[in-house]
Amino acid sequence: MNIDIYKSTEDDERYLSVPEGTDISALAFAEGEALDVSGFTAFKASLELDLSKPRVGLNQEDIHQQIADKGYAIHGVNMEVSINLTGTLSGE
């Protein structure tokens, strides 16, 4: 599935993803999720969701499920970084 992602101009941590080519002004939002789509700007176009390949910052499974259930996904981005040092120190 290819999606288009829009970023909120009012909340840097809010994104709206829809199937590629969807007119976001025609979306019918679920109760409690009403959004002013004029507050969103295009961020990424035609991004392929591939659940078999991890994608930095996106929970593809959640986005895919929301789109399947509602026709759109409201989400943020998250990044976890961990650094592991292995090996031995030399010269001491």
Side-chain angles (χ1 to χ4, degrees), residues 24-73:
I24 64 171
S25 67
L27 288 174
F29 291 101
E31 189 173 325
E33 287 186 337
L35 295 177
D36 178 5
V37 294
S38 68
F40 282 81
T41 186
F43 179 71
K44 281 270 191 203
S46 191
L47 181 74
E48 181 182 8
L49 284 185
D50 184 344
L51 303 182
S52 69
K53 297 177 186 173
R55 186 171 293 276
V56 174
L58 291 181
N59 181 337
Q60 294 186 96
E61 290 177 3
D62 177 54
I63 292 169
H64 186 271
Q65 189 62 53
Q66 285 191 61
I67 290 174
D69 292 346
K70 305 181 290 188
Y72 62 88

Side-chain angles (χ1 to χ4, degrees), residues 76-90:
V77 295
N78 66 12
M79 294 185 56
E80 292 181 23
V81 177
S82 66
I83 299 173
N84 296 316
L85 299 175
T86 60
T88 59
L89 296 175
S90 61

